[in-house]
Amino acid sequence: MAISTLSPPDLAVVKSTILCGPMSEDTLHSVLAGSTLNLYERNDCLFEAQEPASKLYLVLDGWVKLSREESDGSNTLIAAFTKGDSIAEAAAVLGEPYPATAQAMSNVRALVIEGTRFLENMQSSKEVLGAGLAAIYRQLHSLVDEVELLKSRTIRQRLIVFLLKTSEATSGPSSLRLPYDKSLIAAKIGTSPENLSRTFAELREFGVTVKGREAMIADIEDLRALLRR
Amino acid sequence: MAISTLSPPDLAVVKSTILCGPMSEDTLHSVLAGSTLNLYERNDCLFEAQEPASKLYLVLDGWVKLSREESDGSNTLIAAFTKGDSIAEAAAVLGEPYPATAQAMSNVRALVIEGTRFLENMQSSKEVLGAGLAAIYRQLHSLVDEVELLKSRTIRQRLIVFLLKTSEATSGPSSLRLPYDKSLIAAKIGTSPENLSRTFAELREFGVTVKGREAMIADIEDLRALLRR
């Protein structure tokens, strides 16, 4: 798709991404030629694990989960992506199997870019090579963060980290909307829905109240201090 | 360093890696020009977290751990690397901060390659670009595996996965040498040394015996079957 056919808000998202943000208008035009704007409904698959990767995805709106199906039928959530995130860059340019399944957790709009075309652009342009590597480096970095969080933090601490990341406030009180439902938040932090409810209840005495998807934090700094205990 | 100065066994390791294996002799020569062969003793640092990355590492012998220091002084093990593994490719070519600290867990020999030179080679050669992306993709994939393992498996199951990976046998009995000491194995699977000892003791009734660093598995398939329970 041509840049000119993207709506101004979508174009603004594209230009805010690690993958496309640093590119000049000409380069962006070349990278996006042949891409499509896809719409997904909740539960639609963007791609499935093991399928050879041919496309990379730039999320313009909504939430996408990356998860793995176990042989016993259970499902493990690996990561969640939203507006401005890119997905599967490395797999798509290499044509390797997708390492997990990507599924829409809400209505999703995503720009879908051909991996082979992106690779050609990486080969011919230092700008695209740098941007592609930077996006992949960010994925690596956030997976390293995730492994650290899972190994070194309790469930309560992981929930606090999740709330602090979701809130945009850095101090004082904050009201926020949970980005997806509680069963997914439980999966994200690696616990059961029952244990998540218990942990939310424990956090009440530290000023965290939740009603449906709305959460209220009495004092961000108090909550952050809990991480150090 | 020139390829010709590498010992034949070291050259064989280099040629077995995802990073350098697919390269022609000429390309390899160009990639390795300017690299050095470094020796580290146990506990020496290869690089520290947050330092701007300038070099990538190809392990020729020994074990390297990648870990993060917490603000409370505790240490979280992220990954362990050995012969044939490459480390920090994406950070080094971008000059981004290393996401964690790399430290020798034994005597280590590693080929140290300049990130800027590797990036130049990625820019000028499709072969190097493909090899670099493939090595980075493998890191991503193994971090996704790690997140899945931590979220979906019990400590006992994680220990079994570790033993099955360490053993090279696919069936029957297997005797193996644990690659590093038990406190690091505990850190690798995300538990305490005490809990690791308890879990090793529980596995005795399933045919796993451990004496120092030597382990014996009575039947690999029986052990694998335990993962499905």
Side-chain angles (χ1 to χ4, degrees):
Chain A
M1 92 177 276
I3 304 183
S4 55
T5 59
L6 276 171
S7 73
D10 283 348
L11 187 59
V13 176
V14 170
K15 289 188 171 172
S16 75
T17 61
I18 293 188
L19 191 67
C20 296
M23 293 178 191
S24 69
E25 201 88 357
D26 278 359
T27 307
L28 190 57
H29 193 83
S30 161
V31 165
L32 295 190
S35 69
T36 55
L37 179 63
N38 286 14
L39 306 178
Y40 302 91
E41 288 182 11
R42 189 180 154 89
N43 295 330
D44 284 353
C45 270
L46 284 69
F47 55 80
E48 300 213 35
Q50 296 313 319
E51 211 178 281
S54 61
K55 295 168 192 337
L56 55 133
Y57 297 78
L58 202 59
V59 182
L60 298 177
D61 199 31
W63 282 90
V64 175
K65 69 171 176 172
L66 198 66
S67 65
R68 283 247 189 112
E69 192 83 25
E70 311 292 322
S71 54
D72 66 3
S74 68
N75 200 284
T76 305
L77 191 134
I78 306 292
F81 298 93
T82 190
K83 195 189 270 194
D85 290 334
S86 47
I87 313 177
E89 308 85 348
V93 298
L94 289 164
E96 291 278 344
Y98 289 111
T101 296
Q103 206 176 3
M105 288 151 69
S106 62
N107 286 338
V108 166
R109 283 184 309 118
L111 210 53
V112 185
I113 302 171
E114 292 293 330
T116 48
R117 172 175 286 268
F118 199 87
L119 180 60
E120 281 162 22
N121 276 282
M122 285 176 101
Q123 286 164 346
S124 61
S125 154
K126 289 186 184 182
E127 215 181 332
V128 181
L129 176 61
L133 288 171
I136 295 170
Y137 173 76
R138 186 167 80 155
Q139 307 279 7
L140 266 169
H141 205 303
S142 68
L143 283 165
V144 167
D145 287 348
E146 184 84 359
V147 168
E148 181 189 27
L149 197 68
L150 289 166
K151 284 191 178 167
S152 69
R153 301 294 203 170
T154 62
I155 303 293
R156 183 202 279 192
Q157 289 173 323
R158 291 182 214 162
L159 180 57
I160 293 172
V161 168
F162 179 84
L163 291 171
L164 292 173
K165 273 197 185 164
T166 305
S167 163
E168 278 159 22
T170 55
S171 68
S174 167
S175 71
L176 55 105
R177 192 175 156 73
L178 299 177
Y180 33 84
D181 66 36
K182 287 192 188 123
S183 64
L184 278 165
I185 294 174
K188 176 80 181 73
I189 66 172
T191 190
S192 64
E194 297 71 32
N195 201 19
L196 180 74
S197 301
R198 229 175 354 250
T199 312
F200 264 126
E202 282 170 26
L203 287 182
R204 237 177 268 147
E205 65 172 298
F206 303 100
V208 176
T209 45
V210 187
K211 228 184 205 162
R213 291 274 281 271
E214 305 303 321
M216 179 74 209
I217 300 171
D219 190 313
I220 291 278
E221 277 160 344
D222 282 358
L223 197 61
R224 193 175 296 119
L226 258 187
L227 285 181
R228 290 188 287 273
R229 286 212 220 157
Chain B
M1 89 178 277
I3 303 183
S4 54
T5 58
L6 276 170
S7 72
D10 282 350
L11 187 58
V13 176
V14 170
K15 290 189 171 173
S16 76
T17 62
I18 293 188
L19 192 66
C20 296
M23 293 177 191
S24 69
E25 201 88 355
D26 278 359
T27 307
L28 190 59
H29 193 83
S30 161
V31 165
L32 296 190
S35 68
T36 56
L37 179 64
N38 285 14
L39 306 179
Y40 303 89
E41 288 180 10
R42 190 181 154 88
N43 295 330
D44 284 353
C45 269
L46 283 68
F47 55 79
E48 300 213 36
Q50 295 315 317
E51 210 177 281
S54 62
K55 295 166 192 339
L56 55 133
Y57 297 78
L58 203 57
V59 183
L60 298 177
D61 200 30
W63 282 89
V64 175
K65 69 170 177 174
L66 197 68
S67 66
R68 284 244 188 114
E69 191 83 27
E70 312 291 321
S71 53
D72 64 5
S74 67
N75 200 284
T76 306
L77 190 135
I78 306 291
F81 298 93
T82 190
K83 193 189 273 195
D85 290 335
S86 47
I87 313 178
E89 308 85 348
V93 298
L94 289 164
E96 291 279 345
Y98 289 112
T101 296
Q103 207 176 3
M105 288 150 69
S106 63
N107 287 339
V108 166
R109 284 183 308 118
L111 211 53
V112 185
I113 303 171
E114 292 293 328
T116 48
R117 172 176 285 268
F118 199 87
L119 180 60
E120 282 162 21
N121 276 284
M122 284 177 100
Q123 286 165 346
S124 61
S125 154
K126 289 185 184 183
E127 216 182 329
V128 181
L129 175 61
L133 288 171
I136 296 169
Y137 173 76
R138 187 169 79 156
Q139 308 279 8
L140 267 169
H141 206 302
S142 69
L143 284 165
V144 167
D145 288 348
E146 184 82 0
V147 169
E148 182 189 28
L149 197 68
L150 290 165
K151 284 190 178 168
S152 68
R153 301 294 202 171
T154 63
I155 304 293
R156 182 202 280 193
Q157 289 174 322
R158 290 182 215 162
L159 179 57
I160 293 173
V161 168
F162 179 83
L163 291 171
L164 292 173
K165 273 197 186 162
T166 305
S167 163
E168 279 160 21
T170 55
S171 68
S174 167
S175 71
L176 54 105
R177 193 175 155 72
L178 300 176
Y180 35 83
D181 67 34
K182 287 193 189 122
S183 64
L184 279 165
I185 295 174
K188 177 78 179 74
I189 66 171
T191 192
S192 64
E194 297 71 32
N195 201 18
L196 180 74
S197 301
R198 227 176 353 251
T199 312
F200 264 128
E202 281 170 24
L203 287 183
R204 238 178 268 145
E205 64 171 299
F206 302 101
V208 177
T209 45
V210 189
K211 230 186 205 160
R213 291 276 280 270
E214 305 303 321
M216 178 72 210
I217 299 170
D219 189 314
I220 291 278
E221 278 161 344
D222 281 359
L223 197 60
R224 192 175 298 121
L226 257 186
L227 287 180
R228 290 188 288 271
R229 286 213 219 157

